Amino acid sequence: MEVEPTQLKVALIPGTGRIGSRLARRLALANVSVFIGSRSPQKGLQGAHDILASCPHGRVQGGSNQEAAAWGDTIFWNPSGSLEEREELLQSLASHLENKVIIDVTNVMYFFDESQWGQTSSVLLNQKALGVPARWTTAFKATFYKFFDDLPDPNDPQCTFVAGDDEEAIQRTVALVEVIPGFKAIKAGGLANSKIIELLGPRWLFELDTLNAGGNYRSGWKYVW
C-alpha cells in the first residue's frame, strides 16, 4: 500500500540541530505535518516559528521532546551527546514511542572503538535500550547536512540507504525521503545492515571534504536505475 507522507504526523527529536532543523523545514515545505522537539520547549517553539517565517502555510508545531514523542506517529531520531545521554533520553520517552516508526538519522561510530566497527550500530543499541517494541529504520546516515540547504538535482539525486525489518515502516521511510526534492531512497535490507551503513559517514565525509577540492567536495552515493 502506497504511503502518503502528508497524512503522517512526523516528529523530530530533536528538530533544532543541523540535520533536524533542515529536515523539518524541507518536510514542512512538502506539506508534511511536523512537530519540532527539543530539550527546551521554548527552543522547540522557536524552531517552529523560524520555519513558519519562510513557510507560512506549513503545518509546524514545536515544544518539548516529550510532547514531540507523544504527538508523532513517525519519529526522526537525531539526538546529540554521549551514547549514555542518548540512551537516557530514549528511555525517558519509551512510553510515548512504543510501536511507532522511528527513523534513525544519527551517526555515532566515532564513539566506538574501531574493533567494534561492523559488530554493532547505534540503531541496534537504541532498539535494545528502548525497552519497548518499535519499528526502527535508517535514513540520511551518510548525508552531509549542507545538502539540505542546496538541494541536489532531482535528475541526479543524492541516495540514502534505508534499512529496516518492518515493511510498512520501510515504505513510510522511503516516502518521507523521496518527498524531499533531490533525494532517492535505496532499500538496504534488514536493520542489521545498519552496522555497515553507519561506517559510511559522517566523519569520513568531513575527511573527504578536507582532502578534495579545497573543501568544496561533497560526497554522495549514486546508483543507475
Side-chain angles (χ1 to χ4, degrees):
M1 182 175 66
E2 187 172 339
V3 178
E4 175 50 59
T6 58
Q7 299 303 310
L8 299 174
K9 296 167 65 177
V10 179
L12 296 101
I13 301 177
T16 54
R18 291 191 301 190
I19 288 286
S21 61
R22 288 165 170 83
L23 263 175
R25 180 172 181 271
R26 291 300 175 185
L27 291 169
L29 287 169
N31 200 34
V32 176
S33 188
V34 170
F35 194 112
I36 296 174
S38 174
R39 293 181 185 273
S40 163
Q42 292 74 24
K43 192 173 181 180
L45 287 167
Q46 184 61 51
H49 176 78
D50 292 344
I51 291 175
L52 289 169
S54 59
C55 181
H57 301 295
R59 296 182 291 158
V60 187
Q61 303 176 61
S64 69
N65 286 327
Q66 286 75 17
E67 290 172 314
W71 178 89
D73 54 42
T74 307
I75 313 296
F76 275 98
W77 180 253
N78 185 40
S80 60
S82 67
L83 290 174
E84 291 75 18
E85 289 171 325
R86 295 167 193 242
E87 181 177 305
E88 182 180 351
L89 174 60
L90 188 66
Q91 292 174 346
S92 75
L93 303 175
S95 63
H96 299 305
L97 297 178
E98 187 169 3
N99 295 321
K100 294 187 176 181
V101 173
I102 308 177
I103 305 170
D104 192 315
V105 301
T106 62
N107 190 306
V108 294
M109 285 308 299
Y110 47 85
F111 280 126
F112 292 95
D113 181 89
E114 289 188 19
S115 65
Q116 294 182 271
W117 289 6
Q119 307 304 309
T120 190
S121 73
S122 64
V123 193
L124 297 174
L125 291 175
N126 288 338
Q127 185 183 49
K128 181 178 179 181
L130 182 60
V132 296
R135 295 176 288 165
W136 290 84
T137 65
T138 69
F140 300 119
K141 280 185 166 290
T143 301
F144 192 36
Y145 72 93
K146 289 185 179 180
F147 272 116
F148 294 103
D149 293 328
D150 184 15
L151 290 176
D153 181 353
N155 295 316
D156 187 23
Q158 166 84 3
C159 297
T160 183
F161 292 119
V162 173
D165 296 328
D166 181 284
E167 185 58 32
E168 194 278 334
I170 292 169
Q171 292 299 328
R172 189 180 299 190
T173 305
V174 168
L176 287 169
V177 167
E178 296 188 347
V179 79
I180 302 174
F183 285 93
K184 172 77 175 178
I186 301 297
K187 292 184 180 180
L191 200 62
N193 290 340
S194 62
K195 296 182 292 186
I196 303 168
I197 295 168
E198 286 197 342
L199 293 176
L200 301 177
R203 175 159 289 193
W204 183 50
L205 300 185
F206 288 116
E207 183 177 357
L208 291 176
D209 190 50
T210 300
L211 293 172
N212 293 274
N216 294 319
Y217 177 86
R218 294 189 296 179
S219 65
W221 300 96
K222 302 294 181 184
Y223 286 79
V224 177
W225 50 81

